[in-house]
Amino acid sequence: MNLQELKISSYLMKILSFEDKSYEKICKLNLSLKSRTDAYILLTFLNEWGCRQFIKDQHNVAASNLIRWYKMNEKKLPKYNIQLINISDKSIEGFAPLFDDLMKIHASTDKRSHRKSVGPVGAAKALFCLRIHAFPPWDNPIIDHFEFERNGVDYCRYLMYIKGNILELQNECNQLNIELNQIPMILNRPSITLVKLIDEYLWLTITRKFDPKKIIELIK
């Protein structure tokens, strides 16, 4: 991934406006999950992002469990404004247990009395809401593409992969004499974080099988 490819994916996502309104709302809130209000906001966002395991009339159950998880793990999470690129590899590896605990949380019970858990996709999206600069979401096509297991260890491997991409972008920025943190503004997406921009690129190229290189070749 390079800056030109990221520019194309960002431009397309801006046109398509997938999930941006919900995301931009979350970005302004700095959710803490210390209150039921924040937990309900998070659950509403997750529903809007396709997480059907959080049955709407059972949000009270999921909210209680999420608040309990947050109180136990708040000190293990990075500070809100910390960028993924600034988190050490050792610290990233340490996120695996809290991810595993989060994905196992009871989210709801369906009409057949089957218990639904937060799950690996729901856990990543929840972390993405709580720490918008540090945790990217993932989906099943992306998990399968990288041949990851659906657990905390491999989510941390994914974090390392995203961090590696950011480091490559930083090297490119250094050559162009621009600041890494200027990328969202350069792409006319000032409210979008770097991890979100990379998530958009991966969603387009892996989940939707779009190849930005084809557009680059057409431009040439």
Side-chain angles (χ1 to χ4, degrees), residues 56-69:
K56 291 183 179 180
D57 62 6
Q58 296 181 40
H59 275 188
N60 61 320
V61 174
S64 295
N65 292 332
L66 287 169
I67 290 170
R68 188 178 304 112
W69 170 88

Side-chain angles (χ1 to χ4, degrees), residues 127-141:
L127 287 172
F128 173 63
C129 292
L130 295 172
R131 297 293 186 270
I132 61 174
H133 298 283
F135 294 122
W138 62 2
D139 61 18
N140 287 314

Side-chain angles (χ1 to χ4, degrees), residues 161-218:
Y161 173 79
I162 299 295
K163 180 180 176 180
N165 277 274
I166 297 174
L167 287 168
E168 289 178 5
L169 288 171
Q170 185 178 55
N171 291 334
E172 187 176 358
C173 287
N174 291 340
Q175 294 173 10
L176 297 171
N177 199 28
I178 61 176
E179 294 291 332
L180 179 68
N181 290 334
Q182 289 179 329
I183 288 179
M185 290 175 284
I186 291 171
L187 301 184
N188 199 25
R189 307 281 300 286
S191 63
I192 306 297
T193 65
L194 282 171
V195 294
K196 176 66 161 58
L197 286 169
I198 295 175
D199 166 67
E200 291 177 352
Y201 174 86
L202 294 174
W203 184 83
L204 280 171
T205 58
I206 296 174
T207 306
R208 295 300 181 185
K209 303 186 184 305
F210 168 77
D211 186 358
K213 292 183 176 66
K214 292 181 178 179
I215 293 183
I216 294 172
E217 288 300 318
L218 285 174

Side-chain angles (χ1 to χ4, degrees), residues 62-83:
S64 295
N65 292 332
L66 287 169
I67 290 170
R68 188 178 304 112
W69 170 88
Y70 188 82
K71 288 179 178 178
M72 292 177 62
N73 291 284
E74 182 182 9
K75 293 182 179 179
K76 302 173 188 176
L77 293 169
K79 299 295 182 182
Y80 182 78
N81 289 320
I82 296 295
Q83 302 271 353

